[in-house]
Amino acid sequence: MLADFNGDGKLDLASWQGGSSTVLSVTLDVAGSAPTTINTPVCSSIGAGPFAVGDVNNDKKPDVVMSCTGYIAVLIGKGDGTFQAPVYYANQGGTYTTPALVDLKGDGYLDVAIVTALGNTTSLTVYLNEGSAAPGTYGAPENYSLGPVSGAIYGPVSGDFNGDGKQDLLVLTDTNLIVSYGNGDDTLQAAQTQALPTSTNFQTAAVGDFNHDGATDVAYTALSECCSPGVPGNVQILLGSSNGVFAKGTTLSIEPSPLVPSVAATQLTNDGNLDLITSGNGITTVFRGDGKGGFTQGASYGASGVPIVGDLNGDGKPDLLLEALGTPTGAGFYLLYGNGGHIPRSANRTNEHQWKYGLRGFKRGRNRRCRIPDLCAGCQRG
């Protein structure tokens, strides 16, 4: 995840490494000429590590909340790329999904939600921020049953899915969407389950208001099976509504992939509409949002990974970092620099397509010139 962890105005990259224990790695000035990495040991349990970044104590410095097996770890940022000692909060365990940081109470402080399981019971586990009394500290967990759940779980993700001005939490399974609507007073309503129009395996998802109706919508990857070369896939759009029922939106075809493709929602131009980025099988594609819930396929690029958007070179335009796993030295990433939504007029003009690899040591790859247009959406070639 991208954030300015040391307050120098440049984006840094947070990632994690698993093993017998889990290490949080923060690479300062990740797109610069001399990035440096700071490692912080966190969870002692194998398989832990998914995390979220946010300012949980409202001191304007990014913090990290990491999900470990049986507990979460809260790391308060010092503003120099390092963290205070982790504080651990127990839960019923059973799973280690990525935490959602969301203000359920409306008090301006971020609460934490994860999915946990005990026996046959799967729950949303919520930790409430103590707020102004003790910013960035959390009370005992509260569990909200999600009902019978089987298969892969993605989430929770937060949004205002019924447009009532209160934050809600949503979880995807192989066959269902489960949403817990917030009451705005730190409690959640009973979970509501809706069958997905297209079942999936090992999904990823992105959320945002794709049609400007005030209700948060969902885009999720739908695969008939996982991890076999050539298996076709789709991104399915679900439109939130004031009645709490999601409507099936458009279906976008994406590249067949031997790995689970990723999807991200972001605004790439100044038209006010959210766009989608899909990535998998060595191809990253931009789908331009029309602001009405529809998307048109745009440019594609010859690299893939988990898409993360931010202004990496400080020019005020969104850039794309693709966190690409499986390189010879471990996790790595590609950088594609945006040009603010305008494809170069010359068909022969090329952009910098920079490959860096080996997040553990950050060996620098060479800069390569490719015939790939700058990251673009909602534009026409002049």
Side-chain angles (χ1 to χ4, degrees), residues 15-268:
S15 59
W16 65 277
Q17 305 169 31
S20 57
S21 62
T22 301
V23 173
L24 174 70
S25 294
V26 174
T27 300
L28 303 177
D29 192 12
V30 66
S33 59
T36 58
T37 300
I38 301 173
N39 292 323
T40 303
V42 189
C43 304
S44 60
S45 52
I46 297 175
F51 67 93
V53 175
D55 182 7
V56 301
N57 62 346
N58 285 7
D59 65 353
K60 303 187 185 306
K61 303 171 186 175
D63 311 307
V64 170
V65 178
M66 182 173 285
S67 181
C68 309
T69 303
Y71 51 94
I72 61 169
V74 177
L75 294 87
I76 301 297
K78 295 181 179 180
D80 60 0
T82 65
F83 301 88
Q84 298 179 25
V87 178
Y88 298 98
Y89 299 88
N91 58 58
Q92 63 185 3
T95 183
Y96 40 90
T97 60
T98 302
L101 302 184
V102 54
D103 182 6
L104 291 174
K105 294 182 289 185
D107 63 354
Y109 290 89
L110 292 174
D111 309 304
V112 179
I114 61 170
V115 175
T116 61
L118 181 63
N120 295 323
T121 301
T122 302
S123 302
L124 267 179
T125 297
V126 174
Y127 300 84
L128 297 175
N129 199 315
E130 296 289 349
S132 58
T137 61
Y138 292 88
E142 301 179 28
N143 297 313
Y144 295 86
S145 176
L146 295 178
V149 176
S150 61
I153 296 174
Y154 181 86
V157 292
S158 62
D160 183 6
F161 298 105
N162 59 355
D164 65 353
K166 304 167 186 175
Q167 287 294 295
D168 315 308
L169 291 166
L170 180 145
V171 171
L172 291 172
T173 72
D174 289 350
T175 56
N176 294 319
L177 174 154
I178 307 173
V179 61
S180 299
Y181 289 106
N183 293 315
D185 61 356
D186 75 20
T187 64
L188 297 172
Q189 300 175 27
Q192 299 181 26
T193 299
Q194 180 176 331
L196 294 174
T198 304
S199 61
T200 183
N201 287 282
F202 301 95
Q203 68 280 76
T204 61
V207 297
D209 187 359
F210 302 142
N211 57 357
H212 296 290
D213 67 348
T216 305
D217 311 309
V218 181
Y220 72 93
T221 55
L223 303 176
S224 58
E225 60 181 279
C226 174
C227 310
S228 298
V231 174
N234 298 303
V235 170
Q236 179 62 56
I237 307 299
L238 300 177
L239 300 174
S241 67
S242 59
N243 64 11
V245 177
F246 288 82
K248 180 181 179 181
T250 187
T251 303
L252 308 174
S253 296
I254 57 176
E255 290 286 328
S257 177
L259 299 173
V260 179
S262 297
V263 60
T266 188
Q267 184 178 325
L268 293 174

Side-chain angles (χ1 to χ4, degrees), residues 319-340:
D319 308 308
L320 179 62
L321 184 148
L322 298 171
E323 192 170 2
L325 305 180
T327 54
T329 53
F333 59 88
Y334 295 90
L335 294 179
L336 287 90
Y337 292 112
N339 64 0

